[in-house]
Amino acid sequence: MKVLLVGGGGREHALAWKLAQSPRLGALVAAPGNPGIAAHADCAPVKDGAVDELVALARRERPDLVVVGPELPLALGLADRLRAAGMSVFGPSQAAARIESSKVFAKDLMARHGIPTAAFRVFTRAEAARAYCRELGAPVVVKADGLAAGKGAIVCASLDEADRAVALCLEDGAFGDAGRTVVVEEFMTGEEVSFFALSDGVSALPFGAAQDHKTVWDGDRGPNTGGMGAYSPAPVFDAAVQERAMAEIVRPTIAALAKEGCPYQGVLYVGLMITSAGPRVVEFNCRFGDPECQAILPRLDQDLLPVLEAVAAGRGLPASLAWRREASVCVVAASGGYPGPYDTGVAITGVEEAGRLAGVTVFHAGTARRDGVLVTAGGRVLGVQALGGDIAGAIARAYAALDRIAFPGMHARRDIGHRAVGRP
Ligand code: AMP
Ligand code: GLY
């Protein structure tokens, strides 16, 4: 089989690495890929948002399957364009991808179908939004409707902060069109889990859960990032909670999307809050999490390719998947300054040495090769992943590997996975 993989981050490196282990893979083409992905694929220099060029590339390459990693091309309708050209695609249609690209769509869908989530209302006028913030009371959450590069959800500790968040979106236009409509919602307390489920449009299959560490500094302090590390499995998400999430959230959501004319084919990322009243939805995404994917895929104990193919073909999913018993941890090495402004083009050392350690895989996220030298090319540079007999063992291996890697300005959290140590 020939596969075209769209994307060029750590998530896509993990997908490429896993697909490359498939005996059924003939050729892998990645767009744009990265130096890590290049070990498994021919990389074509086409950006993930360049839909016309991606369609042209797919017409030239004639892949048997297209796997779309990031949300941007899905929100722009890449899957629809490829399917219209007769291709098999892992990734939802533009209409189904609204589950991520429009918070209003996602919240209204949940409200219509009784799917548990935070109480909310939708606003385009600041005055009304501020009044509802007062009705809910602080803490309260203000969210831009559209895609805002992970910065569109503002958790406000006070009503003053909420007023500023409302002004930022509706009066200052800080998120452009993405923030012209806002969702104001109830603040939920509990532990957060990223849960993944595959769907062929009709049925749904659990694909594991992970816990992400969103803030930049240890102890969950500092500004939010795309994710500084993840571990899997997540002890709080046991078999009973998973079954409840499937029954109360995932299956109803997949059924709702099908019923409303936009069947979902791909991976549904369910951001959950495990509250005292059970799992409730924080957000949906239309793709794998990054870095959750890098933590989960090494635990999959079977060929990924036929599973993605079944999703894309809409021809029924296997009843279950085989998972290794080991725990997995992925620690992100980030550029100095990230999530704020940062330098790129800085030389990286130690990646190969780290990757030779037992149980360790180093996934490239924001890297480039310049004159044969591996350099930084993004905020999140590498994801250092390790398997271990338990979570503590995986943590020890991941940090032993991370400590072999260096570049000027590099920073990483030192507490990835610690929350899970010693828990049943
Ligand atoms: P989102 O972009 O919707 O995932 O929100 C980003 C982060 O904000 C989440 O991962 C949560 O930590 C937090 N958050 C969003 N909505 C809520 C909520 N209703 N209650 C508590 N925390 C929230
Ligand atoms: N790690 C969070 C995300 O992928 O959205």
Side-chain angles (χ1 to χ4, degrees), residues 103 118 141 143 150 152-153 155 185-189 192 214 224 273 282-283 285:
K103 303 247 185 231
V141 187
K143 296 184 176 181
V155 178
E185 70 180 34
E186 170 201 2
F187 178 82
M188 298 184 287
T189 49
E192 277 188 81
K214 290 203 161 106
N224 269 343
M273 191 71 80
V282 176
E283 63 163 350
N285 292 313

Side-chain angles (χ1 to χ4, degrees), residues 5-216:
L5 173 65
V6 176
R11 166 183 50 211
E12 289 77 25
H13 187 185
L15 287 164
W17 168 85
K18 186 68 188 172
L19 288 172
Q21 296 165 30
S22 172
R24 300 191 36 222
L25 186 76
L28 185 62
V29 178
N34 67 33
I37 293 170
H40 310 292
D42 287 327
C43 296
V46 181
K47 291 221 168 75
D48 67 6
V51 171
D52 290 339
E53 288 169 60
L54 289 169
V55 172
L57 176 70
R59 284 184 182 280
R60 279 199 305 280
E61 295 287 345
R62 297 250 131 247
D64 302 294
L65 173 69
V66 183
V67 177
V68 186
E71 65 277 15
L72 180 63
L74 295 166
L76 294 173
L78 177 64
D80 309 68
R81 295 272 301 275
L82 295 172
R83 287 195 185 106
M87 282 179 241
S88 192
V89 186
F90 178 87
S93 68
Q94 185 171 35
R98 285 179 298 169
I99 199 118
E100 172 167 4
S101 65
S102 169
K103 303 247 185 231
V104 173
F105 173 81
K107 294 293 290 193
D108 284 342
L109 185 88
M110 287 186 271
R112 278 197 297 279
H113 297 274
I115 295 159
T117 187
F120 74 102
R121 276 176 56 191
V122 177
F123 300 94
T124 52
R125 284 177 44 247
E127 205 179 313
R130 290 196 185 100
Y132 185 61
C133 289
R134 277 156 185 75
E135 203 174 297
L136 288 176
V140 63
V141 187
V142 177
K143 296 184 176 181
D145 174 42
L147 291 182
K151 298 202 165 73
I154 308 171
V155 178
C156 309
S158 67
L159 289 174
D160 275 352
E161 276 180 41
D163 288 348
R164 281 198 294 277
V166 167
L168 203 64
C169 296
L170 294 180
E171 291 170 345
D172 307 344
F175 301 108
D177 285 345
R180 301 255 177 256
T181 304
V182 298
V183 171
V184 175
E185 70 180 34
E186 170 201 2
F187 178 82
M188 298 184 287
T189 49
E191 214 170 314
E192 277 188 81
V193 175
S194 306
F195 177 41
F196 300 90
L198 303 180
S199 176
D200 60 352
V202 179
S203 59
L205 173 66
F207 198 82
Q211 278 184 288
D212 184 13
H213 297 63
K214 290 203 161 106
T215 66
V216 67

Side-chain angles (χ1 to χ4, degrees), residues 382-403:
L382 297 164
V384 180
Q385 182 276 338
L387 290 171
D390 59 14
I391 199 87
I395 291 169
R397 278 178 162 176
Y399 280 103
L402 180 78
D403 290 341

